[in-house]
Amino acid sequence: MQIGFTEDEIDTSASTRQARLKWVIVVNNELPTGRIVNAATCVAAATALAVPGLLGPDGKDADGSPHAGLPWAGCTILAADPETLRTLRAAAVAREDIHVADMPLSAQETRVYDEYLTQLTEITTAEITYGALSLVGPRNPIDRLVKRLPLLP
């Protein structure tokens, strides 16, 4: 099942709270700032590519300079400890109506993507420590999953 917005659902004039789908990124609050930013950026890139209709149209400023389209429905960045991330991911992937993009910390430990893929085959899901998760799905289930996780300070 592909998660996304249909053309008729995209309403860039509406509040982000009116969008059918909600997007949250939950980051590992035990990482240094640079690694948090990297992990959030990577799962955001994977999500933007995989979820149709997530990005609004490009815009131009008063001088005519172009600006890339941004998430019209918003994106909230939350923080959690590594165990909460692991539990949250397990709950999210169990649902068919939620898109999940994750970044295992092992992805930040190599500069060769094939090495990352090899490392991934050598560790079980239960052993993976995540840098960030990106979740897109119906608003109420996403709210229930992230409960009272704090915003990233």
Side-chain angles (χ1 to χ4, degrees):
M1 170 183 208
Q2 183 172 26
I3 307 302
F5 292 101
T6 61
E7 293 252 349
D8 62 321
E9 289 180 300
I10 298 171
D11 183 358
T12 59
S13 68
S15 165
T16 58
R17 293 177 191 240
Q18 293 176 321
R20 177 180 60 86
L21 300 176
K22 182 173 184 170
W23 183 13
V24 299
I25 294 176
V26 186
V27 298
N28 182 332
N29 62 8
E30 294 183 2
L31 295 177
T33 304
R35 290 185 71 186
I36 287 173
V37 172
N38 174 266
T41 301
C42 290
V43 296
T47 300
L49 183 63
V51 178
L54 195 59
L55 300 179
D58 293 349
K60 290 187 178 184
D61 62 29
D63 295 324
S65 181
H67 299 273
L70 298 173
W72 68 273
C75 180
T76 304
I77 311 294
L78 305 172
D81 63 78
E83 187 56 38
T84 300
L85 281 170
R86 191 176 294 118
T87 302
L88 177 58
R89 183 190 179 277
V93 298
R95 297 186 58 107
E96 291 184 10
D97 60 347
I98 295 178
H99 168 80
V100 178
D102 60 56
M103 183 166 184
L105 287 184
S106 59
Q108 292 180 329
E109 296 169 356
T110 181
R111 293 184 187 272
V112 179
Y113 195 78
D114 284 350
E115 288 177 12
Y116 157 68
L117 293 177
T118 298
Q119 289 174 2
L120 210 51
T121 66
E122 297 168 353
I123 188 169
T124 67
T125 304
E127 297 171 314
I128 294 174
T129 300
Y130 296 96
L133 301 176
S134 175
L135 310 174
V136 179
R139 185 166 294 284
N140 289 338
I142 293 290
D143 284 342
R144 282 192 298 275
L145 283 172
V146 298
K147 296 177 189 155
R148 294 181 178 93
L149 291 178
L151 289 169
L152 181 66

